[in-house]
Amino acid sequence: MFLRVIAGPIPDRKDVQEVRCNFQGKDYLAFKDMSPEELAFVTKLALDFKKKWTAREPHEYFRGQVWAALFEKNSTRTRNALERAAADLGIRLVYLRPDEMQMTRGEPLKDTARILDRYFDGLFIRTFGHEIVEECAAWMRHPVINGLTSLAHPTQGIADIMTIQEKKGDCRGLKLCYAGNLYNVAYTTMIACASFGIHMDLACPTELVPNADLWDETQRRAAVSGARIRLIQDFDQALAGADIVYGMSHYSMGQSDEEVSHLKAIFAPYQITTEAMAKAKPDALFMHCLPAHRGEEVTDEVMESPQSVIFDEGENRMHAIKAILSVVAVS
Ligand code: CP
């Protein structure tokens, strides 16, 4: 069992200490493994942590804990949001570079995971394939938090939902137009939208197809929440009536030059410009997980426009990570 996740109902309480036991010691790997109620609970907790941060109220609930942070890919937001979140919670973080570890000379992941488990109170990991975080979780007794894999970006997803709730209030019935490739952020966003009752049009060329299991899970949740989640080739149709326009890179780290050139060409009609934003609702938000390729998936003008909430969204990564750490950490 890779995921020791989350059994039992989540009580409707604000207090971290009261609810932490429901998630305590569990892994936080992907939204597909969590119920809509659990996602809503952690989002609310993240908003509560933001209030504490704004009021400068101390919240060192986990002083004495030491976590490992293993990043196999570069990061600006996730790594630094994690550093600050851990510091505020009283958690000491040890940053691990794969190139300084025996992993790079072929030590099996299951050995690395079991050794880290003996030293640390938890592991935060950014890596490549989703199966890597699943394998870590399978071999570790302490919690594992996914900081980005091929299929999921759950700390981003909580920050995004909290940003939408902050800006729009109740998000049920809103429409989100997503323009970008079908990777981790797309999958996390579509499961979030299906869970929270947000309609979502994923605007992309027909040759791209989503992961079948994640698509099926999205549609199962959408059937319950009433959300309509569609793949749409026509960008104008996807933009029409959108409350949120979410931009995402057209390609990903590690792809070949040939793949990148092809993706740039087929995604060219889906660039988010001021003209594209004008096809959404007048008060539509522009969101992007960042980093953005200005001039490719989105123009500089849209990034800097009053509709852009990208820096609030980026700040919310820190509050989201704090909420996730606080629910899974074992005291
Ligand atoms: N959105 C995001 O994960 O940013 P980083 O790659 O900078 O961590």
PDB file of all heavy atoms in Angstrom, residues 74-78 126 153 156 289-291 317, ligand 1:
ATOM      1  N   ASN A  74      14.869  21.575 -10.225  1.00  0.00           N
ATOM      2  CA  ASN A  74      14.973  22.949  -9.719  1.00  0.00           C
ATOM      3  C   ASN A  74      13.643  23.449  -9.182  1.00  0.00           C
ATOM      4  O   ASN A  74      12.574  22.970  -9.569  1.00  0.00           O
ATOM      5  CB  ASN A  74      15.419  23.892 -10.845  1.00  0.00           C
ATOM      6  CG  ASN A  74      16.860  23.628 -11.239  1.00  0.00           C
ATOM      7  OD1 ASN A  74      17.591  22.963 -10.518  1.00  0.00           O
ATOM      8  ND2 ASN A  74      17.246  24.142 -12.390  1.00  0.00           N
ATOM      9  N   SER A  75      13.726  24.451  -8.321  1.00  0.00           N
ATOM     10  CA  SER A  75      12.502  25.046  -7.771  1.00  0.00           C
ATOM     11  C   SER A  75      12.832  26.411  -7.183  1.00  0.00           C
ATOM     12  O   SER A  75      13.847  26.578  -6.524  1.00  0.00           O
ATOM     13  CB  SER A  75      11.942  24.152  -6.664  1.00  0.00           C
ATOM     14  OG  SER A  75      10.946  24.834  -5.940  1.00  0.00           O
ATOM     15  N   THR A  76      11.958  27.346  -7.415  1.00  0.00           N
ATOM     16  CA  THR A  76      12.035  28.649  -6.722  1.00  0.00           C
ATOM     17  C   THR A  76      10.946  28.712  -5.658  1.00  0.00           C
ATOM     18  O   THR A  76      11.214  28.913  -4.478  1.00  0.00           O
ATOM     19  CB  THR A  76      11.872  29.816  -7.714  1.00  0.00           C
ATOM     20  OG1 THR A  76      12.986  29.787  -8.603  1.00  0.00           O
ATOM     21  CG2 THR A  76      11.819  31.162  -7.001  1.00  0.00           C
ATOM     22  N   ARG A  77       9.680  28.525  -6.070  1.00  0.00           N
ATOM     23  CA  ARG A  77       8.563  28.670  -5.152  1.00  0.00           C
ATOM     24  C   ARG A  77       8.488  27.524  -4.135  1.00  0.00           C
ATOM     25  O   ARG A  77       8.439  27.757  -2.923  1.00  0.00           O
ATOM     26  CB  ARG A  77       7.221  28.731  -5.915  1.00  0.00           C
ATOM     27  CG  ARG A  77       6.907  30.092  -6.474  1.00  0.00           C
ATOM     28  CD  ARG A  77       6.262  29.994  -7.829  1.00  0.00           C
ATOM     29  NE  ARG A  77       7.239  29.515  -8.782  1.00  0.00           N
ATOM     30  CZ  ARG A  77       8.105  30.309  -9.439  1.00  0.00           C
ATOM     31  NH1 ARG A  77       8.030  31.595  -9.294  1.00  0.00           N
ATOM     32  NH2 ARG A  77       9.018  29.815 -10.263  1.00  0.00           N
ATOM     33  N   THR A  78       8.465  26.309  -4.615  1.00  0.00           N
ATOM     34  CA  THR A  78       8.199  25.182  -3.716  1.00  0.00           C
ATOM     35  C   THR A  78       9.278  25.078  -2.644  1.00  0.00           C
ATOM     36  O   THR A  78       8.980  24.928  -1.457  1.00  0.00           O
ATOM     37  CB  THR A  78       8.119  23.877  -4.531  1.00  0.00           C
ATOM     38  OG1 THR A  78       7.214  24.093  -5.617  1.00  0.00           O
ATOM     39  CG2 THR A  78       7.622  22.728  -3.674  1.00  0.00           C
ATOM     40  N   ARG A 126      10.575  16.418  -4.404  1.00  0.00           N
ATOM     41  CA  ARG A 126      10.243  16.793  -5.792  1.00  0.00           C
ATOM     42  C   ARG A 126      11.048  15.882  -6.696  1.00  0.00           C
ATOM     43  O   ARG A 126      12.274  15.808  -6.585  1.00  0.00           O
ATOM     44  CB  ARG A 126      10.585  18.255  -6.063  1.00  0.00           C
ATOM     45  CG  ARG A 126      10.589  18.580  -7.543  1.00  0.00           C
ATOM     46  CD  ARG A 126      10.697  20.049  -7.833  1.00  0.00           C
ATOM     47  NE  ARG A 126       9.430  20.713  -7.553  1.00  0.00           N
ATOM     48  CZ  ARG A 126       9.087  21.904  -8.051  1.00  0.00           C
ATOM     49  NH1 ARG A 126       9.900  22.551  -8.845  1.00  0.00           N
ATOM     50  NH2 ARG A 126       7.935  22.451  -7.749  1.00  0.00           N
ATOM     51  N   HIS A 153       0.719  17.734  -8.392  1.00  0.00           N
ATOM     52  CA  HIS A 153       1.380  18.864  -7.728  1.00  0.00           C
ATOM     53  C   HIS A 153       0.433  19.351  -6.619  1.00  0.00           C
ATOM     54  O   HIS A 153      -0.150  20.430  -6.704  1.00  0.00           O
ATOM     55  CB  HIS A 153       1.663  19.966  -8.761  1.00  0.00           C
ATOM     56  CG  HIS A 153       2.722  20.936  -8.337  1.00  0.00           C
ATOM     57  ND1 HIS A 153       3.372  20.871  -7.116  1.00  0.00           N
ATOM     58  CD2 HIS A 153       3.235  22.024  -8.980  1.00  0.00           C
ATOM     59  CE1 HIS A 153       4.246  21.857  -7.037  1.00  0.00           C
ATOM     60  NE2 HIS A 153       4.184  22.568  -8.141  1.00  0.00           N
ATOM     61  N   GLN A 156       0.638  22.827  -4.911  1.00  0.00           N
ATOM     62  CA  GLN A 156       0.156  23.868  -5.838  1.00  0.00           C
ATOM     63  C   GLN A 156      -1.378  23.886  -5.854  1.00  0.00           C
ATOM     64  O   GLN A 156      -2.000  24.954  -5.845  1.00  0.00           O
ATOM     65  CB  GLN A 156       0.681  23.581  -7.253  1.00  0.00           C
ATOM     66  CG  GLN A 156       0.280  24.613  -8.288  1.00  0.00           C
ATOM     67  CD  GLN A 156       1.002  25.932  -8.101  1.00  0.00           C
ATOM     68  OE1 GLN A 156       2.200  25.969  -8.006  1.00  0.00           O
ATOM     69  NE2 GLN A 156       0.263  27.032  -8.044  1.00  0.00           N
ATOM     70  N   CYS A 289       0.881  28.833 -12.331  1.00  0.00           N
ATOM     71  CA  CYS A 289       1.651  28.286 -11.196  1.00  0.00           C
ATOM     72  C   CYS A 289       3.067  28.841 -11.155  1.00  0.00           C
ATOM     73  O   CYS A 289       3.715  28.796 -10.113  1.00  0.00           O
ATOM     74  CB  CYS A 289       1.646  26.761 -11.233  1.00  0.00           C
ATOM     75  SG  CYS A 289       2.763  26.062 -12.453  1.00  0.00           S
ATOM     76  N   LEU A 290       3.549  29.363 -12.285  1.00  0.00           N
ATOM     77  CA  LEU A 290       4.905  29.906 -12.426  1.00  0.00           C
ATOM     78  C   LEU A 290       5.944  28.781 -12.273  1.00  0.00           C
ATOM     79  O   LEU A 290       5.685  27.838 -11.531  1.00  0.00           O
ATOM     80  CB  LEU A 290       5.172  31.042 -11.440  1.00  0.00           C
ATOM     81  CG  LEU A 290       4.206  32.240 -11.501  1.00  0.00           C
ATOM     82  CD1 LEU A 290       4.609  33.280 -10.442  1.00  0.00           C
ATOM     83  CD2 LEU A 290       4.166  32.859 -12.888  1.00  0.00           C
ATOM     84  N   PRO A 291       7.091  28.860 -12.918  1.00  0.00           N
ATOM     85  CA  PRO A 291       7.534  29.981 -13.738  1.00  0.00           C
ATOM     86  C   PRO A 291       6.813  30.010 -15.092  1.00  0.00           C
ATOM     87  O   PRO A 291       6.479  28.954 -15.630  1.00  0.00           O
ATOM     88  CB  PRO A 291       9.027  29.723 -13.933  1.00  0.00           C
ATOM     89  CG  PRO A 291       9.165  28.237 -13.838  1.00  0.00           C
ATOM     90  CD  PRO A 291       8.129  27.783 -12.853  1.00  0.00           C
ATOM     91  N   ARG A 317       1.430  29.359  -1.811  1.00  0.00           N
ATOM     92  CA  ARG A 317       2.160  28.089  -1.737  1.00  0.00           C
ATOM     93  C   ARG A 317       2.679  27.853  -0.312  1.00  0.00           C
ATOM     94  O   ARG A 317       2.680  26.744   0.189  1.00  0.00           O
ATOM     95  CB  ARG A 317       3.352  28.100  -2.702  1.00  0.00           C
ATOM     96  CG  ARG A 317       3.010  28.264  -4.170  1.00  0.00           C
ATOM     97  CD  ARG A 317       2.223  27.120  -4.713  1.00  0.00           C
ATOM     98  NE  ARG A 317       2.844  25.844  -4.412  1.00  0.00           N
ATOM     99  CZ  ARG A 317       3.965  25.377  -4.993  1.00  0.00           C
ATOM    100  NH1 ARG A 317       4.552  26.061  -5.943  1.00  0.00           N
ATOM    101  NH2 ARG A 317       4.455  24.197  -4.642  1.00  0.00           N
TER     102      ARG A 317
HETATM  103  N1   CP B   1       4.971  26.355  -9.232  1.00  0.00           N
HETATM  104  C1   CP B   1       6.122  25.764  -8.831  1.00  0.00           C
HETATM  105  O1   CP B   1       6.154  24.592  -8.437  1.00  0.00           O
HETATM  106  O2   CP B   1       7.205  26.598  -8.849  1.00  0.00           O
HETATM  107  P1   CP B   1       8.705  26.108  -8.643  1.00  0.00           P
HETATM  108  O3   CP B   1       9.048  25.176  -9.765  1.00  0.00           O
HETATM  109  O4   CP B   1       9.537  27.359  -8.662  1.00  0.00           O
HETATM  110  O5   CP B   1       8.796  25.403  -7.316  1.00  0.00           O
END
